[in-house]
Amino acid sequence: MSAVFKFSYISSLYLTFCLLLVLALSAKNYDATLCHDDERQALLQFKSGLVDEADRLASWVGETSDCCKWAGLTCDNITGHVHKIHLPGICAYLPNYNTIKEYNEALRQRLRGDISQSILYLKQLEHLDLSCNEFGGLQIPRFMGSLGNLRYLNLSRSGFRGTIPPQLGNLTELEVLCLGSSYYAFESTSIINMQWLSSMRSLRHLDMSGVNLTEASDWFQVINTLPSLAQLHLSSSGLPDIHPNVASLNLTFLSSLDLSYNNFNKSFMPQWIFSITSLVSLDLSWCHLRGPPIPSSTSSFHNLTSLKFLHISENEFMSSSLVLKELSSIGGNLISLDMGFCGVKSATLDSLHNLTSLLSLDLSENQLTSTIPKSLGNLCNLRHIDMGFNNFQNISLTSLLRSFLDCKSPSLESLYLEFSRLSCSLPNQLEQLVNLVHLNLGENGISGPIPESIGNLSFLRSLYLYGNLISGPIPESIGNLSFLRSLNLDGNLISGPIPYSVGGLSSLELLALSHNHLTGTLPESLGQLSKLKYLDLSHNLLTGVVTDVHFSKLIGLKTLDGSGNNLTLRPHHANWVPSFQLEILYISSWDLGPQFPLWLLTQRDLSRLDLRNTKISSTMPESFWRSFPNLQYLDMSQNQIQGRLFEIPATLYEVDLSSNLFSGKLPKLFNSSMLDVLDLSNNSFTGSLLHLLCSWGGNVIEALNLANNHLSGAIPECWEKWQRLRFLNLENNNLSGVIPTTMGYLSYLVSLNMCKNKLSGRLPASLMWLKELQILEFASNELVGSIPTWIGTELLDLRILNLRSNSFDGTISHELCYLTAIQILDFAHNNLSGNIPRCFNNFTVLSKKETTEIDPVSVIFHFGYGITEITNSASLVMKGQEYTYSTILGLVMVLDLSGNKLSGNIPVELMALQALQSLNISKNQLTGVIPKNIGDMKFLESFDVSSNHLSGELPMSLSGLTFLSSFNVSFNNLTGRIPTSTQLQSFNESSFFGNKLCGVPLTQICGEIEHHKDQQEGDTSHGVDFGLIISILLGFFVGFWSIVIPLNVGTIWILLSKLRYMLGC
């Protein structure tokens, strides 16, 4: 037996050895032949047509390497043929990324270039996925229709454009076809005729979301011929019709139907959808469907017994109580229900019940005013509920959540109640929602403190209480929320210091505390938040010193906004190198100076930098621009930074270096510059505009502010390069010469300010082409000629026209009355003559016939996340003094024609300008009276008609001008009593000098006859015209004598003596 056993054992070993040898040789042979040469060459040619910025195809090299091991490829284990190319990019959508750098990195992962026809050599290819790449507007190649073995094709969101080729209909073996583009803004594909889809009898999954199907009227007929279809996605496709009536339906296997974001223009809910009894998921969001008044058995939810996911927001028919009752009949299966924006009222919601399996419920943007009825379902099992954008102003949060708070073990994880008009306080009972993960109560009227019990919600990951009236301190218990990732308390009335316990928020990624009343210093525990990416402490009352300890472990910080606080940054070490690499830094109003902070130069990822008003008074480091290769937004205004500025890098979009001490020539701009906004105002730049304006390609900048420098010379004629310009300010320099005619190219210009220079000549007629102009200021120059009529006939959007202090002559043309939107009209101190036009009452804004919601003086430019606001300014004389208006310029209403040679009467029509705040027509040659209805100008604050030839009395209606704070009628020929009012009697006597007026505030009392020794009549009786009195008495005496009996002469003389005594003669 032992011999037999030994022989058997040796035989087994031998057989095992032989088997292993065969397997080894087979494996060796398999490795050598797995990748076919022709397919390897085809793949290398395919790669050569692509642009692979992220080097994703780095393994695709070598003439003899095994292509089956290359990234994104799969081969058949037996034949070695390539049967799968799986190279999707990342479907980058900016709001999903915390930083610009992360978003840009995602974009780098996208393949670009061209798709080579060489892939046709891959005869056994079954799977091709090139989704979420960027093919730059190429049309989907027709030759893809020759890949006859394909079962899976995904080209969605890859930047294709044009018509989808019908040759794809040759792919009869396809089971999955994805051509959607709904999330890609620049992708635009379309189909006119869908008949080619009919041949794909095996198709189970079809996604054409975002493909333009507006011309595909046959879409439903074709889809109805695909018997194997299980999933259909046609979201945002512009479907022309939903085909409410269908004779027969073949979609018996359809489990998922998505027709969301197609506007069916309030068509009836189609019956065929209710016939698809296999439906598990139905998405009709934002289809604007309405339903029949009474659902029938064939047109209701009653048949959809397999339905678990129903998304049906923004559909009118869902506001019907009858429809909700029908939905209740299958409610026991529903897991997720989204019926936001359907106009559902609380009374209607009572019809919805028995949703016992429901886990997610969206009732946002409806008309709910009360609590959710308990009959709706088992609310204790509900995990997610969104009731935002409703109206719960008359209900407390405790009452609103009673159905959840009464649960022994509530399952609620997400609660959204933002923008719901809540006006209650935060109850302690919130701690009973022990499983809460997300809580959003933002933008309500919630008041009172944050309860200490908030710290008991130990699973909380996001807490949003922004935009409320919450007061008191941040509770110390907030530090117990170790899982918290996002804490947003922006825009409240929270006071006190930031608690030291915030250092315990070890998972925190976002901390937003801006626009509160926080005081004290920053806690050093902030430096322990190693996962923090976003920190916003802006616009509080924080003080004290910030050191490197406050940032010690913030290695992931990307955004820091501390602007608007009185903080001082003083690192302990002069050569401090922060552990973070910021992308956004806003710390305006901090004290960083006087030396430039050198640690800043280590932040090479910065894209947005705001160091406005940070007390820096040294020179800008020579390496400044090189240190920030990604910088796009820069604001270092309101400092005292010195030195010269040689160039502005091409990467920047917005630059504000205003209010510093920069000197020398203006900087150079590169031809490739992407600059939108450049503000170098309030510096000491000298020299010409020539090399800045004329030495580059131009046509990019929208706002240029060079005001308040020492620039000189003529304004060059090269404005054709600046055709995108909307805002131009060259005010208060030493510019001379004529206004360039090429400024007529600036067709988008909204604001033009060239005040306080030495410009001469006439206004060029080419300016009439600036049709968008709202603000035109040429005050304090040396311009001559008449004011052109085309200003009134062509520049119809003008709101501010300031030509003050020039040498314009001629009359004010009636064409200017076409400027109906004018708010400020200043022609003061010129040589204008003639009458004031009566048609000024056509100014509809000044006459309150028209109101404007647009502030014309702030031209706003957008880039990325931020807004740069360029604010105009104007020097106006009001109340006898010159003021510079900027932020409130759009609220100022002024008419100033003073210091000219205008004549004639003050037009009564001028009194129709009831919105006017300042009227100055002084120092002219006006005659006549002040119109009696001047009291109609109720908003008048300043009124000056001094130094004219006006006569008559002051109108009594002046007493009704309750806003008057400046008044001057001096040096005219006015007579009579000064009207009584609080305002008029409060003015100085000088406001009335040079007239024949009496009454307060003048010392001359009305009714008293003054005595003047120097009367022209030479009368010595203190100026009384005694001869006139005697003549009157003699007339009276003769008449009286002829009627009555003669009187005693002595009696008459006695009466005359008494009368003379009474008159003081």
Side-chain angles (χ1 to χ4, degrees), residues 604-847:
R604 296 188 58 82
D605 291 341
L606 274 177
S607 63
R608 305 179 66 82
L609 175 60
D610 186 351
L611 300 182
R612 176 169 32 96
N613 187 29
T614 50
K615 300 183 180 179
I616 300 174
S617 58
S618 61
T619 57
M620 181 185 289
E622 185 271 336
S623 61
F624 180 83
W625 298 117
R626 296 195 306 272
S627 299
F628 308 117
N630 302 311
L631 197 61
Q632 296 173 336
Y633 169 96
L634 174 64
D635 187 346
M636 294 201 300
S637 62
Q638 300 178 42
N639 285 287
Q640 294 184 331
I641 301 174
Q642 307 171 35
R644 298 189 63 179
L645 197 62
F646 293 99
E647 60 188 33
I648 303 290
T651 58
L652 280 116
Y653 286 83
E654 303 174 18
V655 175
D656 188 349
L657 297 174
S658 61
S659 301
N660 279 287
L661 299 176
F662 287 107
S663 58
K665 293 182 179 180
L666 290 170
K668 175 185 176 182
L669 297 179
F670 293 95
N671 285 334
S672 58
S673 176
M674 298 300 295
L675 206 58
D676 282 330
V677 179
L678 178 60
D679 191 343
L680 301 177
S681 60
N682 297 291
N683 279 283
S684 297
F685 288 107
T686 57
S688 169
L689 294 171
L690 185 65
H691 75 285
L692 173 67
L693 297 183
C694 305
S695 62
W696 73 302
N699 204 26
V700 177
I701 290 183
E702 296 185 29
L704 178 62
N705 192 352
L706 302 175
N708 301 304
N709 280 285
H710 306 303
L711 302 171
S712 58
I715 301 175
E717 287 274 11
C718 55
W719 292 100
E720 68 278 3
K721 296 185 176 185
W722 295 74
Q723 294 185 33
R724 288 185 56 189
L725 205 61
R726 296 172 58 202
F727 175 96
L728 175 61
N729 192 345
L730 301 176
E731 180 184 14
N732 196 23
N733 281 285
N734 295 314
L735 300 172
S736 57
V738 298
I739 299 169
T741 58
T742 53
M743 284 194 142
Y745 284 102
L746 307 180
S747 57
Y748 293 107
L749 202 63
V750 174
S751 176
L752 175 59
N753 188 343
M754 292 189 174
C755 296
K756 298 182 180 179
N757 280 286
K758 298 176 181 178
L759 301 175
S760 56
R762 298 173 178 266
L763 292 177
S766 61
L767 295 184
M768 74 170 68
W769 302 113
L770 309 184
K771 305 293 187 181
E772 303 291 326
L773 210 58
Q774 295 184 20
I775 301 165
L776 180 61
E777 300 189 75
F778 281 112
S780 300
N781 279 286
E782 300 169 5
L783 300 172
V784 297
S786 60
I787 297 175
T789 58
W790 51 257
I791 290 181
T793 58
E794 304 296 333
L795 307 183
L796 297 177
D797 290 335
L798 273 183
R799 296 187 182 276
I800 299 175
L801 177 57
N802 188 353
L803 302 178
R804 183 187 189 88
S805 299
N806 280 283
S807 298
F808 289 109
D809 54 26
T811 62
I812 301 175
S813 66
H814 288 76
E815 284 80 0
L816 291 176
C817 297
Y818 292 118
L819 301 177
T820 57
I822 204 74
Q823 294 177 216
I824 297 175
L825 182 63
D826 192 344
F827 292 164
H829 298 286
N830 281 283
N831 296 315
L832 301 174
S833 57
N835 296 334
I836 299 174
R838 295 185 179 276
C839 57
F840 273 9
N841 60 349
N842 289 341
F843 298 156
T844 55
V845 173
L846 288 178
S847 61

Side-chain angles (χ1 to χ4, degrees), residues 131-286:
S131 60
C132 297
N133 286 293
E134 173 52 81
F135 292 107
L138 292 177
Q139 186 180 24
I140 294 175
R142 293 183 177 87
F143 64 75
M144 283 192 173
S146 300
L147 295 170
N149 206 42
L150 275 182
R151 268 70 169 171
Y152 180 103
L153 176 61
N154 191 347
L155 302 176
S156 59
R157 309 177 204 171
S158 288
F160 290 107
R161 297 180 70 88
T163 303
I164 294 175
Q167 286 82 357
L168 294 184
N170 297 328
L171 305 177
T172 56
E173 301 296 323
L174 266 185
E175 298 177 6
V176 176
L177 176 60
C178 299
L179 303 174
S181 59
S182 58
Y183 300 107
Y184 190 72
F186 303 103
E187 189 166 13
S188 179
T189 53
S190 61
I191 297 177
I192 297 176
N193 189 318
M194 296 182 67
Q195 284 299 322
W196 55 269
L197 276 168
S198 301
S199 60
M200 299 181 179
R201 310 288 292 178
S202 301
L203 203 60
R204 293 184 295 104
H205 182 114
L206 175 61
D207 186 353
M208 289 189 174
S209 298
V211 177
N212 187 349
L213 302 179
T214 54
E215 301 295 324
S217 58
D218 60 344
W219 74 270
F220 183 76
Q221 289 85 346
V222 173
I223 296 300
N224 202 23
T225 64
L226 304 176
S228 302
L229 201 61
Q231 296 196 38
L232 175 61
H233 301 274
L234 298 177
S235 174
S236 303
S237 295
L239 294 174
D241 188 9
I242 200 168
H243 298 274
N245 300 307
V246 175
S248 62
L249 191 70
N250 299 320
L251 302 174
T252 54
F253 294 102
L254 197 64
S255 62
S256 178
L257 175 62
D258 182 0
L259 300 179
S260 61
Y261 295 94
N262 285 288
N263 187 356
F264 294 118
N265 197 24
K266 296 193 175 182
S267 299
F268 285 111
M269 178 70 180
Q271 295 184 17
W272 62 265
I273 290 181
F274 293 121
S275 301
I276 309 176
T277 57
S278 56
L279 273 181
V280 175
S281 175
L282 175 61
D283 193 343
L284 298 175
S285 302
W286 294 83

Side-chain angles (χ1 to χ4, degrees), residues 809-1007:
D809 54 26
T811 62
I812 301 175
S813 66
H814 288 76
E815 284 80 0
L816 291 176
C817 297
Y818 292 118
L819 301 177
T820 57
I822 204 74
Q823 294 177 216
I824 297 175
L825 182 63
D826 192 344
F827 292 164
H829 298 286
N830 281 283
N831 296 315
L832 301 174
S833 57
N835 296 334
I836 299 174
R838 295 185 179 276
C839 57
F840 273 9
N841 60 349
N842 289 341
F843 298 156
T844 55
V845 173
L846 288 178
S847 61
K848 298 189 70 174
K849 296 175 186 175
E850 174 188 333
T851 57
T852 176
E853 297 179 357
I854 301 174
D855 182 353
V857 301
S858 293
V859 183
I860 299 179
F861 302 88
H862 300 266
F863 171 74
Y865 297 119
I867 296 176
T868 296
E869 183 172 335
I870 300 292
T871 305
N872 285 272
S873 62
S875 297
L876 303 172
V877 175
M878 289 181 65
K879 305 176 184 179
Q881 296 184 14
E882 184 173 345
Y883 298 94
T884 299
Y885 293 88
S886 56
T887 55
I888 64 167
L889 185 57
L891 305 176
V892 179
M893 308 285 178
V894 173
L895 176 59
D896 194 342
L897 305 176
S898 63
N900 282 286
K901 300 175 182 178
L902 300 173
S903 56
N905 295 336
I906 300 175
V908 175
E909 291 81 0
L910 210 60
M911 304 302 104
L913 306 182
Q914 297 181 21
L916 208 60
Q917 296 163 330
S918 176
L919 175 60
N920 191 345
I921 48 178
S922 65
K923 299 176 184 176
N924 280 288
Q925 300 170 14
L926 300 173
T927 56
V929 299
I930 299 173
K932 291 183 179 181
N933 60 336
I934 188 173
D936 294 343
M937 307 175 78
K938 298 294 186 182
F939 294 96
L940 209 58
E941 300 175 18
S942 177
F943 177 65
D944 191 347
V945 293
S946 62
S947 300
N948 279 288
H949 306 303
L950 301 173
S951 57
E953 297 185 348
L954 291 176
M956 293 300 297
S957 63
L958 283 170
S959 302
L961 301 181
T962 55
F963 290 105
L964 268 183
S965 57
S966 177
F967 182 79
N968 195 346
V969 295
S970 62
F971 301 104
N972 280 284
N973 298 316
L974 300 170
T975 59
R977 181 188 297 272
I978 297 172
T980 303
S981 75
T982 304
Q983 275 73 23
L984 292 175
Q985 271 64 56
S986 67
F987 295 124
N988 193 280
E989 292 182 49
S990 60
S991 297
F992 304 92
F993 280 169
N995 291 286
K996 296 178 181 179
L997 297 169
C998 61
V1000 180
L1002 296 177
T1003 56
Q1004 183 158 332
I1005 302 173
C1006 295

Side-chain angles (χ1 to χ4, degrees), residues 50-64:
L50 299 174
V51 176
D52 181 16
E53 190 177 347
D55 210 17
R56 293 171 53 197
L57 306 182
S59 60
W60 289 36
V61 292
E63 295 292 330
T64 59

Side-chain angles (χ1 to χ4, degrees), residues 384-396:
H384 311 283
I385 186 166
D386 188 345
M387 296 188 291
F389 296 89
N390 280 287
N391 186 358
F392 299 123
Q393 60 181 346
N394 296 320
I395 187 171
S396 70

Side-chain angles (χ1 to χ4, degrees), residues 310-508:
L310 177 60
H311 301 272
I312 202 158
S313 60
E314 185 54 57
N315 285 285
E316 179 184 316
F317 77 97
M318 289 301 296
S319 62
S320 166
S321 58
L322 293 175
V323 173
L324 295 186
K325 285 180 181 178
E326 284 293 327
L327 183 59
S328 300
S329 65
I330 60 163
N333 295 325
L334 278 178
I335 294 175
S336 175
L337 174 60
D338 177 358
M339 45 186 289
F341 224 115
C342 288
V344 177
K345 298 179 180 179
S346 288
T348 309
L349 194 62
D350 290 338
S351 302
L352 188 63
H353 52 82
N354 199 34
L355 307 183
T356 54
S357 301
L358 202 63
L359 299 180
S360 177
L361 176 61
D362 189 341
L363 296 172
S364 62
E365 300 194 67
N366 279 290
Q367 299 175 30
L368 303 180
T369 56
S370 60
T371 59
I372 298 175
K374 289 186 177 181
S375 59
L376 187 141
N378 188 356
L379 298 182
C380 293
N381 288 338
L382 200 66
R383 295 180 184 176
H384 311 283
I385 186 166
D386 188 345
M387 296 188 291
F389 296 89
N390 280 287
N391 186 358
F392 299 123
Q393 60 181 346
N394 296 320
I395 187 171
S396 70
L397 199 54
T398 305
S399 301
L400 186 61
L401 301 177
R402 177 57 60 193
S403 298
F404 302 99
L405 297 175
D406 288 345
C407 299
K408 290 184 179 179
S409 180
S411 301
L412 199 62
E413 297 177 6
S414 300
L415 173 60
Y416 299 97
L417 281 166
E418 71 276 19
F419 291 92
S420 291
R421 300 188 181 182
L422 290 166
S423 56
C424 52
S425 58
L426 293 173
N428 280 309
Q429 290 92 325
L430 278 175
E431 67 176 334
Q432 295 174 222
L433 303 177
V434 292
N435 292 307
L436 208 58
V437 176
H438 304 287
L439 176 60
N440 189 343
L441 302 176
E443 294 296 344
N444 284 288
I446 298 172
S447 57
I450 301 173
E452 280 284 344
S453 59
I454 199 78
N456 296 330
L457 299 175
S458 56
F459 294 110
L460 210 59
R461 292 187 180 181
S462 66
L463 176 59
Y464 297 111
L465 301 177
Y466 59 89
N468 281 287
L469 301 172
I470 297 171
S471 57
I474 301 173
E476 285 285 343
S477 64
I478 203 80
N480 299 335
L481 305 178
S482 57
F483 291 111
L484 197 66
R485 294 181 180 176
S486 299
L487 175 60
N488 190 337
L489 305 179
D490 284 346
N492 281 284
L493 304 173
I494 300 171
S495 57
I498 299 173
Y500 193 85
S501 63
V502 297
L505 301 175
S506 55
S507 301
L508 201 64

